[in-house]
Amino acid sequence: MLKGNSDELAAPENVSSGEEKTGIKVMPVEECIVEIVSDAGEGAQKAGQSFGSVSAKMGNGVWTVEIIPAEVQPPARSRAGASGIRIRFGSDKVTNMGDEADLVVAFNEQVLYGRIDQKAYREGTIILIESKWKESKVPEIQEEYALAMQEFKQYGFDVREIRMEEECLKFVENPSKGKNMWVLGMLCSIYARDIEKAEAQIRHTFRRKSKKIIESNLLLLNAGYNWASKNLNLRFQILSEAESVSKVVMNGNEAVGMGVMAAGIEVCSMYPITPATSVTHYLSEVFEKSGGLVHQAEDEIAAIGFAIGASYAGKTAVTVTSGPGMALKTEFIGLATMAEVPLVIVNVQRGGPSTGLPTKVEQGDLLSAIFGQPGDTPTVVLAPATIEECYHFVILSRQLAEAFRMPVIMLTDANLATGVQPFTRPEINLDSFSPPIDQSPWKKEIRPYEWDEKTGLSQRPIPGQSDGMYVLTGLAHDEESHVAYDSHINQLGCNRRSRKMAAIFKTLSPPTVNGDEKGDLLVVGWGSTLGAIEEAVNKARQMGGSVSSLHLRFLSPIEPGLEKIFKRFKKVMTVEINYGDEENDPLITSENRRRSQLSWFLRAHTLTDVDFLAHIHGQPMRPGFILQRLKKELGL
Amino acid sequence: MLKGNSDELAAPENVSSGEEKTGIKVMPVEECIVEIVSDAGEGAQKAGQSFGSVSAKMGNGVWTVEIIPAEVQPPARSRAGASGIRIRFGSDKVTNMGDEADLVVAFNEQVLYGRIDQKAYREGTIILIESKWKESKVPEIQEEYALAMQEFKQYGFDVREIRMEEECLKFVENPSKGKNMWVLGMLCSIYARDIEKAEAQIRHTFRRKSKKIIESNLLLLNAGYNWASKNLNLRFQILSEAESVSKVVMNGNEAVGMGVMAAGIEVCSMYPITPATSVTHYLSEVFEKSGGLVHQAEDEIAAIGFAIGASYAGKTAVTVTSGPGMALKTEFIGLATMAEVPLVIVNVQRGGPSTGLPTKVEQGDLLSAIFGQPGDTPTVVLAPATIEECYHFVILSRQLAEAFRMPVIMLTDANLATGVQPFTRPEINLDSFSPPIDQSPWKKEIRPYEWDEKTGLSQRPIPGQSDGMYVLTGLAHDEESHVAYDSHINQLGCNRRSRKMAAIFKTLSPPTVNGDEKGDLLVVGWGSTLGAIEEAVNKARQMGGSVSSLHLRFLSPIEPGLEKIFKRFKKVMTVEINYGDEENDPLITSENRRRSQLSWFLRAHTLTDVDFLAHIHGQPMRPGFILQRLKKELGL
Amino acid sequence: MFGLQSECMLHVPEQYHTLSDYEGAQPRWCPSCGDHAVLTAVQKVCREKQLPPEKTVFVSGIGCSSRFPHYMRTYGFHGLHGRPFPVAEGIKFRRPDLDVFVATGDGDCCSIGAGHWIHAIRYNMNMTVMLLDNEIYGLTKMQTSPTSRKGTISNTHPHGSILPPINPLVTTLGVANVSFVAQTVDWNPAHVFSTLMAAHAHPGFSFVRILQRCPHFSPNLYSDEISNPDLTVLLTHENGIEAIPEVQKMYKNSVEHDPADINQARELAQREDLVPIGLFYCNPEQEQYDKYGASNIGFSPQQKSDALNVELDKYAV
Amino acid sequence: MFGLQSECMLHVPEQYHTLSDYEGAQPRWCPSCGDHAVLTAVQKVCREKQLPPEKTVFVSGIGCSSRFPHYMRTYGFHGLHGRPFPVAEGIKFRRPDLDVFVATGDGDCCSIGAGHWIHAIRYNMNMTVMLLDNEIYGLTKMQTSPTSRKGTISNTHPHGSILPPINPLVTTLGVANVSFVAQTVDWNPAHVFSTLMAAHAHPGFSFVRILQRCPHFSPNLYSDEISNPDLTVLLTHENGIEAIPEVQKMYKNSVEHDPADINQARELAQREDLVPIGLFYCNPEQEQYDKYGASNIGFSPQQKSDALNVELDKYAV
Ligand SMILES: Cc1ncc(C[n+]2csc(CCOP(=O)(O)OP(=O)(O)O)c2C)c(N)n1
Ligand SMILES: Cc1ncc(C[n+]2csc(CCOP(=O)(O)OP(=O)(O)O)c2C)c(N)n1
Ligand code: SF4
Ligand code: SF4
Ligand SMILES: [Mg+2]
Ligand SMILES: [Mg+2]
């Protein structure tokens, strides 16, 4: 442990529990939500990520999520510019970002307003705020700050004004650069984090930087720690059970990227688009070492065409995109379905329609993934619900794509993309690295689409296989892949492609119900909302509500048994980050009400009057928001 | 009336009814289905179109439809090469192409096989076939022909072998050029058509050709007429009531083209694609004269972008395409919805998925039109059911697009595109030519998206209007059109765009039921199948079946009152040219059955267990095919 | 519903427009982003030419540079990534009275928009195009662009990009019907201004590539050129960009180049040793598609009705 | 499921391939369509080079010309309109052992496919590209193409087209990293053959524009050039297309042109008085993206697993 180059700095002893030397009472808590908010570029995210990692390493459950402004460089000290991170951590597994924060470190008061607008805080939330603005040379700033302090207190926040930069100045010349590490130190003290783990984390984060930078960051870390230990009467303890399984911690886009490698995929073809691009940033860095390459194409159409070409040639391929990019891939997805080319398509959903909300979360691409194609185009659509599943579902997607010779669309979203959570370190299965390629001679008598009558399955020849030559086409074709416009051939081809969906359906088992198998209310969700839904449902159950939940991973084909399950509940409703008309909106009747996507889909599928709770706030679903509705529904 | 330059040619007297001079009995019939089939380029279509026009002018109901091979120049004498035309005509209005033909003129026997494969004929169908193949110098052809004659007789056809070319050779040097006109003459004799009307038609059709060509065609027309009068014991009479209203006759794509002019649209932006292109071929010829222009863009994306630009600038615009082109327009449709740019999109549907069946009919773009967009993208989707409606619905589409400031998708199909039918000459409404442009100063205080809370409607400024300046964007935006990512603003914008759908819904009235208001079975259709469905339903009703039908023109928002209507019938089923799994297919259960598009949509909308009759034969729905199913359902 | 006032040739009130009349929202670019300088130059061009704000439309795609329209107080269309050209063409097609500008980025124009770019050159509609070329994807946070130099380190090529860059000038000069091609640099505002003045005056598709600094992601990209004016070569000619004494004084290297000479234009544009700025090519005689678009506007409802009646007659039974 | 034999370097059985080994389905083009002659020439090239049919892939878009793959007995990919290049690139990327050909039309390549075309030139992957340029849309029945001459009467321009045509050669020569550009004419099969032989031999993106007759829709388009060989100018050079005595005898006009000289190449390609045939430009030294693609193929499952484990370690809690 580095002592710093100043003698003043004495490393604090490791905090265990109970009463500290300083006489401050250590509060044991089950979980905490902490935020760091700042202008863009002030390093709040780096501090928060380190804090999350340290907590994970200490055996806590963790969920971190970035707070990202829309612009590259929004104006300083502005509501819209709020940039930062939220870390929710606790003794048990943490599955979502939760509701209001318990404590927030703010680099100025304006960004805090941005978060207040988002309802990120509650009465009693502790606010640790940089107080240098009080003495700002710009009178407006002084005024703004003073006004804010008044208002914050009125809101009932527990405000602590701290001269952070001044403290940093004691150790470094330019405090604006390292303040985030000082804050990290402060938080480590408040939450009794293992300072050695924090130091190790800093060394890792800055491993590519100069020794001087690392040293100065460590210095500030310890300074913050010491300052807080001496000057703040805040000390919390989050216990954790020591876990025996080894874990990894990453965000959903990194998990997808690693899943691509684990799936044995060789080609990742993409065009940059938020919030999907970071999957490929990650891959661009490391993919080469595992025998794969990222191709940045000239546009999304070329990206999927390239992936289809690679797959046709026997190389496993994925294309990664988001809403507007999906729209452009529409025609090629149809070709892959028609000509039965295996392909994994990852859509990290963002807010729509159109360019919409590039950095924000939504689940609005569900119906377009299933029905977006002209003509009958059976497509597999599946959705991971956790960061861990982001990893494993890529492997699953590839397996389905290969086995059923069709494109598989995997829908994640901006919430999974940037959320960070530890999960059990996956076991590597060497089998999944086998290429699909087989260059042994093709049996001449087998046709390139020799569809099994029952399952629609067929074996595909790959260039290089002698006697396998055929010409793939997106026109209607017979089993030889010859263009054929005859009525019965078109009917046959469509039928065989459709039958594969029934074959996949047969392999699925009904989803498990969280809670009782029957009751008053069943909540159905999909994708990133799993954690928030289950948390809310479990709380409502604790309050005596007769409510259960069910989470779908397969949307197309949809998982079996739903109608039966639905029948056992008095009411079924979905929870979605999607648009739906409110019942009591003007002009809206139950007849013309435009329903949220999953609820609409389930109505057709089960003929059940499925209701919904939906919003398009560009924010993850919060458990409290869901709970509120559950209480209303259940009369709690 | 031209006598021809040969003295041998005496024009036959006009046939009235009853017994002819030649002593042949004239059979009065209510309607007939006639086909002319040939290799591509032999002029069968021109002859058939003329025949249809003459019949329309004689007051008959008419439906003609082209038989088009897939390739530009398929091999001669091949099944796949069958090219030609079907004309169904009768005393009453004719609404569809019907079932099996009563009489067919064939230029060779192989193309007939092509049609037999399509089940175009029945026992007793009269076949008038060119018999020159009997003496072909190629022994295989002789054999093929002889074999065919045998088989045709076995099939129960009434085969008449005719030396057509030999007859033509008596009048012209190269009979292959004018044989079609000789055939037209023959048909005019058989069906007692007014030969003067036929002559006038020929003069019109060939108005841009030399006088010599016109004369020689007239000569052959009369020759065919005379030959048939003397040598065929076939004479039918189709009575018609003299109609007082004036009529026009055209195919659906021409009707769309004329509708574009009638709607006051100024810009038609397109990229060639079958079967939509002929709309724009027609417009390219005449649009300039009515103050409009066709723009052939570099691709479909540019085509819709161009139209959106024109509309933004206050010029009414349409883009015309088919399935693969629609797929490419996906992203821009989202922008037009998000930024509320009025736009008419005509999709002349063809067989899918992917490049599919370019020349064939399907209704497979229904769900992608409604749900094809990432994000929540409320879009108006409507579908004309007759050729007349093809004209009027363009006008309606423009009105809706302008009034509700959004894109309107009009779905027609290859059956309407090439079907020819007379309809009441439309009245021209000068109002519909007014441009949307208004260059008077904008009221400064009105915001560019000043949404009415109830209807979502707002007024739009157009470049040129002073004080109206705003920056359109596809990003989430507030009423000022400023980019805004706040939760409530996104919710508000989506809500206002959605509310417009409720406002349109309020203007619609429930569809009328064809037949009784309640009963055992209700058949629901949309688009080009109207005629066939009603014909089948009416026949089933005559047979005592308790069946009614209902035809949707508005698909999104869908017409009101459906649930109520459905409740009055024991069973509801759709009839669609679409794919759906059959109930008894292997692995298929009612749970995993992939249902045809409309039936699926109606299930979600009405929570009714809607069944379907669907095929994707690339052929129009035939009344007989529907009737067969109705009989089964009704136990007739 | 359609009873509005009809055609678009209304008189614009006579009024002198000041710079601030062209200033829209507060720009949100990074403080030292090169886009700021271009924005200022454009606003000056508008004032110099007294363009009526209500008759002026700025069209863009998506990217940092494509935020441009928001910062003007004119009409604007901030559309889809890669698609500014089709939209701009549609706007201009039947509205000869509008002044159309396009602001696009190197990704927007040369990558996803490449097909439209080629065709926009060929359509040669009267509009002023600014390619804000920062050789990187700014908005999406530093990915390789087609104009990134070989070996560029970016988030999609952390080990260095593979291919030599597209040269937008040479590519444009290779397209049929090309009519105006110039280059300027954001760090010489006077030259940006006079280049855009010339571009706007040209009747046709005026393509101006502007080397634009993105200090946020490529802080040192043009630092050599900025610190050493000898790395720039000024194209001079009486038919070229108007000579500005301060600019001429600054750049010692200059080449007399007749913008009518397309072969020399291509050779100059191809140069890799120096950055040539000025007018490469200009041909006001090329076919203009907007003239075709404007050929039959303003028909009265009666004229339209008459034409339709003629058509209905042809199809009368 | 993935237990198949793995990499793709299997030995191909030694066997002499005759012409008929390359003949696929019976061509369905119009009888005197120019595509027939090209097909025959291509089949001869394959035989001449003894390309293993199972290691050869023909890729196309949609159009009459894009039916090409069906008429070969090799692997084929008859994809989407305008998109042959991305597919061909994906096929070649990780399969250096495959011989890739692209057959495309003037609409497919220069209109809807223009963006991919520009980028395919820049990627410079080793493949042989045949642009079958009939200056019209054949399959969809006679619409204007970007290469249609100004004034062309078509179904979309019944009163004559508006714009001058794109010159695919000049456009290609304007793109960075261009490496091989040639032109030939379908009515001189010997020249088609030797041009394609050279194109195939070139390591990189070999772009061959073939003037192709569409007698069905433009019966007289090239009749002057066909009846009068003096309207053609033959490009000759020791590094050019192999000299064929019969061809040299036929064309009186010839120009000695060094295919290393891109400036002269552009000037020649721009000529409108005569049709130049031969090799305009060739540079085997350009960067090849397929080399990058092939740089790390064939990793064993163990290698992949090891790399993944290193990654998981980095993220270990
Ligand atoms: C269809 C689509 N694909 C991708 C994106 C994501 N995207 C937005 S801007 C951009 C590139 C920006 O680069 P450039 O055009 O050079 O503009 P700059 O930001 O550098 O000014 C990309 C890839 C998008 N918005 N839409
Ligand atoms: C997305 C899409 N748009 C349009 C079409 C219709 N289409 C098919 S081929 C073609 C053009 C063919 O012209 P060209 O490429 O010159 O080939 P040619 O037939 O002349 O050989 C078009 C527009 C299509 N199949 N797909
Ligand atoms: S990221 Fe670069 S291009 Fe974008 S605003 Fe900042 S400096 Fe300008
Ligand atoms: S239409 Fe033209 S290009 Fe097509 S096959 Fe016939 S001749 Fe060839
Ligand atoms: Mg850029
Ligand atoms: Mg062509």
Side-chain angles (χ1 to χ4, degrees), chain B residues 56 247-249 266 282 288-289 291-292 295 298 312-313 315 425 434 436-437 439 462-465 470 472, chain C residues 1-2 4-7 10 54 75-76 78 90-91 93-95 116 123 289 296 299 309 311 313 315 317:
Chain B
K247 292 205 164 180
V248 287
V249 58
E266 253 187 63
Y282 170 71
E288 285 184 26
K289 299 197 193 95
H295 168 60
E298 61 269 30
Y312 167 81
K315 298 295 178 174
R425 182 178 174 130
S434 313
I437 212 164
Q439 298 251 316
I462 284 168
Q465 284 185 286
Y470 74 109
L472 179 148
Chain C
M1 172 167 53
F2 301 130
L4 305 171
Q5 197 170 329
S6 101
E7 274 307 322
L10 250 210
E54 65 274 35
Y75 280 90
H78 175 214
I91 291 172
F93 193 49
R94 307 282 286 173
R95 293 292 306 267
H116 307 306
Y123 292 131
Y289 194 62
N296 69 342
F299 279 33
N309 259 319
E311 278 310 298
D313 285 347
Y315 287 82
V317 170

Side-chain angles (χ1 to χ4, degrees), chain A residues 72, chain C residues 29-30 33 35 64 134 138 212-217:
Chain A
V72 171
Chain C
W29 292 307
C30 303
C33 177
D35 290 340
C64 289
N134 56 8
Q212 176 238 319
R213 285 166 296 174
C214 171
H216 195 70
F217 292 122

Side-chain angles (χ1 to χ4, degrees), chain A residues 53 56-59 204 207-208 247-251 254 258-259 261-267 282 285-299 301-303 305-315 331-332 335 341 391 395 398-400 402-403 422-423 425-426 428 430-442 461-475 481-483 485, chain D residues 1-13 15 21 25 28 52-60 62 66-98 112-113 115-120 122-123 125 139 289-317:
Chain A
S53 291
K57 285 181 179 149
M58 288 176 70
H204 175 77
R207 64 194 178 282
R208 292 210 194 86
K247 291 205 165 183
V248 286
V249 59
M250 63 187 76
N251 70 31
E254 289 162 335
M258 250 182 246
M261 291 194 278
I265 289 174
E266 250 186 65
V267 175
Y282 170 71
E285 183 101 30
V286 304
F287 205 14
E288 286 185 26
K289 299 194 194 98
S290 72
L293 284 179
V294 173
H295 168 61
Q296 179 180 337
E298 61 269 31
D299 62 20
I301 298 177
F306 192 99
I308 288 174
S311 176
Y312 168 81
K315 297 294 176 175
E331 193 190 8
F332 253 128
L335 178 73
V341 183
Y391 176 97
I395 304 172
R398 180 205 155 171
Q399 286 170 339
L400 287 168
E402 290 281 336
F423 58 89
R425 183 180 173 127
I428 296 177
L430 282 187
D431 275 358
S432 60
F433 297 118
S434 315
I437 212 163
D438 178 3
Q439 298 251 316
S440 54
W442 182 261
I462 284 168
Q465 282 185 287
S466 46
D467 288 334
M469 284 90 75
Y470 75 109
V471 181
L472 178 147
T473 180
L475 286 160
S481 195
H482 292 160
V483 175
Y485 295 156
Chain D
M1 173 167 56
F2 302 129
L4 304 172
Q5 198 169 329
S6 104
E7 276 307 321
C8 38
M9 306 305 173
L10 249 211
H11 306 296
V12 168
Q15 147 191 5
D21 285 340
R28 290 293 178 86
E54 65 274 33
K55 290 277 198 180
T56 307
V57 188
F58 278 79
V59 182
S60 67
I62 300 284
S66 287
R67 290 291 174 108
F68 208 103
H70 290 282
Y71 310 144
M72 295 294 302
R73 188 137 83 207
T74 62
Y75 280 90
F77 194 114
H78 175 214
L80 296 181
H81 186 43
R83 320 295 171 192
F85 293 121
V87 170
E89 291 153 12
I91 291 172
K92 186 71 190 171
F93 193 50
R94 307 283 285 174
R95 291 293 305 269
D97 58 317
L98 297 180
I112 188 169
H116 308 307
W117 171 36
I118 300 301
H119 284 272
R122 177 168 175 255
Y123 292 131
M125 298 177 78
L139 191 70
Y289 194 62
D290 54 326
K291 288 198 179 151
Y292 170 65
S295 63
N296 69 342
I297 51 176
F299 278 34
S300 72
Q302 193 56 51
Q303 274 174 297
K304 295 184 180 185
S305 166
D306 292 347
L308 179 57
N309 259 321
V310 169
E311 279 309 300
L312 287 168
D313 285 347
K314 280 196 213 153
Y315 288 81
V317 169

